[in-house]
Amino acid sequence: MHNLSDQVKVLVEAEPQVLQALNKLELLIENNDFICGKQYSIADALLTPMLDYLFFLPVKDCIFQSIPKLNNYIQRMQQRA
């Protein structure tokens, strides 16, 4: 079984990849309301739960401060629920 320090280490190591992926999503919604364009699609349905999970982590502010459009997108998706 992994201890807490092992889990934290995994999270710290994954952070650059997570931020890179989120920055790519930020670019996708730069001129669109949704991930794949102007309409809600399966891409939004698949990504929303994953992004919602990240949005409620204690480090949310650090993660989402550099991607304001994605931050707004997540809040809009939460209102759809």
Side-chain angles (χ1 to χ4, degrees), residues 4-21:
L4 185 58
S5 65
D6 289 339
Q7 293 172 352
V8 170
K9 182 180 176 185
V10 169
L11 290 173
V12 169
E13 290 173 355
E15 185 178 2
Q17 291 89 356
V18 170
L19 293 175
Q20 183 179 24

Side-chain angles (χ1 to χ4, degrees), residues 34-36 39-50 73:
F34 300 100
I35 296 297
C36 289
Q39 296 181 358
Y40 185 83
S41 71
I42 190 74
D44 300 288
L46 290 170
L47 286 170
T48 297
M50 291 180 258
Y73 168 83

Side-chain angles (χ1 to χ4, degrees), residues 21 33 51 80:
D33 293 331
L51 295 172
R80 289 179 62 98

Side-chain angles (χ1 to χ4, degrees), residues 2-81:
H2 298 286
N3 63 34
L4 185 58
S5 65
D6 289 339
Q7 293 172 352
V8 170
K9 182 180 176 185
V10 169
L11 290 173
V12 169
E13 290 173 355
E15 185 178 2
Q17 291 89 356
V18 170
L19 293 175
Q20 183 179 24
L22 294 175
N23 283 319
K24 288 180 182 181
L25 289 173
E26 176 85 355
L27 292 174
L28 286 174
I29 62 168
E30 190 169 43
N31 297 313
N32 296 310
D33 293 331
F34 300 100
I35 296 297
C36 289
K38 301 292 181 195
Q39 296 181 358
Y40 185 83
S41 71
I42 190 74
D44 300 288
L46 290 170
L47 286 170
T48 297
M50 291 180 258
L51 295 172
D52 193 55
Y53 173 80
L54 293 174
F55 196 76
F56 285 100
L57 290 176
V59 294
K60 165 197 155 245
D61 293 333
C62 296
I63 293 173
F64 288 98
Q65 70 183 0
S66 65
I67 45 175
K69 291 181 177 128
L70 194 58
N71 189 353
N72 291 335
Y73 168 83
I74 295 166
Q75 291 177 17
R76 284 189 296 114
M77 293 303 103
Q78 290 171 338
Q79 291 173 357
R80 289 179 62 98

